[in-house]
Amino acid sequence: MGVGGGCLVLPWRCLVVLCLRLLFLVPAGVPVRSGEATFPKAMDNVTVKQGESATLRCTVDDRVTRVAWLNRSTILYAGNDKWSIDDRVVILTNTKTQYSIRIHNVDIYDEGPYTCSVQTDNHPKTSRVHLIVQVPPQIINITSDITVNEGSSVTLLCLAFGRPEPTVTWKHLSGKEGQGFISDDEYLEITGITRDQSGEYECTAVNDVAAPDIRRVKVTVNYPPSISNPKNTGVSVGQKGILRCEASAVPVAEFQWFKEDTRLANGLDGVRIENKGRMSTLTFFNVSEKDYGNYTCVAINKLGNTNASIILYEISEPPALAGPGAVHDGNSAASRAMACVWLSGALLAYFLLKF
Ligand SMILES: *[C@@H]1O[C@H](CO)[C@@H](O)[C@H](O)[C@H]1NC(C)=O
Ligand SMILES: *[C@@H]1O[C@H](CO)[C@@H](O)[C@H](O)[C@H]1NC(C)=O
Ligand SMILES: *[C@@H]1O[C@H](CO)[C@@H](O)[C@H](O)[C@H]1NC(C)=O
Ligand SMILES: *[C@@H]1O[C@H](CO)[C@@H](O)[C@H](O)[C@H]1NC(C)=O
Ligand SMILES: *[C@@H]1O[C@H](CO)[C@@H](O)[C@H](O)[C@H]1NC(C)=O
Ligand SMILES: *[C@@H]1O[C@H](CO)[C@@H](O)[C@H](O)[C@H]1NC(C)=O
């Protein structure tokens, strides 16, 4: 069968005489274990990385009359004669003590049993070596960056190839400490994803052949706006007043401002609306009596909307520091200084009453 294989590959070589002459090379039944036989002595299993060269050595002595290397049952070399048509296979040494071949640019298909077959004193003997081909870990398919809505389920996939088969793990990079969970599987399933679970996920494929292959996936979690700590603001007439509205949302919220049922527009009635990221501000350049009241900030994105009411209320004008027409920020140092003066007065009154 081995010779038949060789003959199929190279029919022009298939002279019956030659084939018969080489029949002794075909392993008859169970191959002789290298430990038991004196000759031939093949090496232990050969391990190489894909793309490298593998050398198959067979130790012989001067009683050996014929030698050959076989890939499974196909003859690669018989003595100095090349039977294989594969250019990657070359003879390295054929001396009285050693018979070696080399396979260049080894691929995973080359993995398997190779047999050194010899004839000594008309007795055929064989010895087998396993060629083991290693491949560095490589991620071959990974989920692309995705955007999902909060509460939905997500499966991240990371397929890796390599020999030995790589170990695949998932890690949440943006996760706060203790929250960045890990999956030791190709699949990472998240049911009911939360906003805290958004961010970068890293897949790592490891085997002991070469450095790990690492890839990242960005998961964006959309959620409806929520307004945090709306604050009522006190401003006196003639001053500058600012109402602030902060909303967290993905995608980022758009804002609208209302007074009672009327929507406010930028530039009208001496107000300016400014949106910057999570924050919207409503600025009154010169607060008058009619400006006081109940305002509503509405934050909207495609997942929903929410609103909060913020009151602009009157505080008595600081007499000394803000003359008529002077414009100050409601939160300015001046008003804080005034609060301080008032507080000191109150404390003084308290002590006077007590003693
Ligand atoms: C050689 O490899 C084969 C197949 O992987 C295995 O069965 C055998 O035990 C190995 N022999 C040695 C000496 O490592
Ligand atoms: C060994 O045999 C296998 C299976 O027929 C083949 O795919 C591979 O290319 C052969 N390798 C060499 C070096 O002959
Ligand atoms: C990656 O895997 C997915 C899911 O199994 C499959 O639909 C897709 O075709 C694969 N892509 C590639 C490039 O193999
Ligand atoms: C402001 O208006 C909202 C509704 O527009 C109402 O729920 C809220 O009670 C009002 N606040 C005050 C202090 O009147
Ligand atoms: C504010 O929210 C309430 C209930 O969430 C809704 O009834 C009301 O119409 C909203 N107001 C505005 C101005 O969108
Ligand atoms: C603010 O408005 C009042 C009343 O309309 C006006 O008298 C005053 O000059 C204004 N101040 C500024 C700085 O525009």
Side-chain angles (χ1 to χ4, degrees):
M1 280 193 305
V3 174
C7 289
L8 280 179
V9 174
L10 294 173
W12 53 273
R13 283 215 187 232
C14 201
L15 299 165
V16 175
V17 176
L18 185 57
C19 283
L20 286 175
R21 202 161 63 87
L22 284 156
L23 266 178
F24 78 93
L25 293 170
V26 180
V30 184
V32 179
R33 295 184 66 98
S34 54
E36 296 161 16
T38 325
F39 294 108
K41 178 91 178 73
M43 54 210 299
D44 290 338
N45 289 346
V46 174
T47 301
V48 292
K49 285 183 196 154
Q50 185 181 37
E52 293 183 347
S53 299
T55 303
L56 307 181
R57 295 178 212 280
C58 187
T59 305
V60 295
D61 68 8
D62 51 13
R63 291 175 300 148
V64 168
T65 49
R66 297 184 201 288
V67 285
W69 267 109
L70 288 80
N71 172 5
R72 293 176 179 83
S73 56
T74 306
I75 296 174
L76 299 175
Y77 265 93
N80 287 327
D81 290 337
K82 185 170 179 182
W83 284 57
S84 169
I85 51 160
D86 193 334
D87 340 320
R88 298 174 307 139
V89 182
V90 295
I91 190 155
L92 207 62
T93 46
N94 183 5
T95 66
K96 287 196 188 318
T97 55
Q98 195 166 78
Y99 182 55
S100 313
I101 60 165
R102 178 168 285 173
I103 305 165
H104 289 295
N105 191 16
V106 166
D107 206 344
I108 53 173
Y109 311 106
D110 298 323
E111 185 163 294
Y114 288 76
T115 308
C116 173
S117 182
V118 305
Q119 190 184 43
T120 309
D121 307 330
N122 284 320
H123 294 294
K125 284 180 181 162
T126 62
S127 168
R128 186 172 275 199
V129 59
H130 252 91
L131 178 62
I132 295 161
V133 182
Q134 294 186 324
V135 182
Q138 196 192 349
I139 294 170
I140 49 173
N141 190 354
I142 186 163
T143 308
S144 344
D145 291 354
I146 49 166
T147 299
V148 294
N149 292 345
E150 194 169 43
S152 56
S153 293
V154 179
T155 302
L156 301 182
L157 164 73
C158 179
L159 294 179
F161 177 74
R163 282 163 173 255
E165 189 162 335
T167 307
V168 176
T169 54
W170 277 105
K171 194 161 75 179
H172 185 202
L173 293 182
S174 326
K176 296 178 195 120
E177 213 57 55
Q179 210 172 35
F181 53 87
I182 283 170
S183 156
D184 51 2
D185 191 28
E186 294 167 331
Y187 292 91
L188 175 61
E189 287 188 37
I190 308 169
T191 45
I193 195 166
T194 66
R195 57 195 73 179
D196 295 336
Q197 289 172 320
S198 67
E200 298 249 37
Y201 286 79
E202 188 175 83
C203 170
T204 307
V206 182
N207 69 13
D208 52 10
V209 176
D213 194 13
I214 301 173
R215 300 265 299 270
R216 287 181 184 181
V217 175
K218 189 174 177 200
V219 177
T220 305
V221 179
N222 286 339
Y223 58 93
S226 63
I227 294 174
S228 45
N229 327 308
K231 277 199 194 74
N232 298 337
T233 304
V235 183
S236 51
V237 170
Q239 287 203 311
K240 183 175 171 185
I242 300 176
L243 300 185
R244 292 186 172 82
C245 181
E246 186 176 2
S248 81
V250 175
V252 95
E254 286 171 26
F255 294 91
Q256 294 175 356
W257 287 90
F258 290 85
K259 187 180 186 194
E260 271 89 56
D261 289 333
T262 316
R263 181 165 172 194
L264 303 180
N266 213 350
L268 284 184
D269 300 327
V271 297
R272 184 175 65 204
I273 298 168
E274 236 177 339
N275 301 326
K276 227 180 225 170
R278 306 157 50 97
M279 179 76 82
S280 179
T281 55
L282 175 62
T283 306
F284 303 86
F285 290 102
N286 181 2
V287 171
S288 65
E289 289 289 348
K290 67 167 173 49
D291 292 328
Y292 295 119
N294 191 350
Y295 290 83
T296 305
C297 163
V298 183
I300 307 155
N301 76 3
K302 63 181 178 186
L303 293 196
N305 68 79
T306 186
N307 64 61
S309 59
I310 302 174
I311 291 164
L312 182 71
Y313 61 92
E314 179 164 17
I315 54 172
S316 53
E317 192 172 343
L321 289 164
V327 173
H328 288 288
D329 188 326
N331 298 328
S332 71
S335 51
R336 262 179 272 134
M338 283 313 295
C340 233
V341 169
W342 177 84
L343 201 66
S344 317
L347 274 173
L348 189 65
Y350 174 81
F351 280 112
L352 287 176
L353 279 174
K354 193 135 192 199
F355 301 104

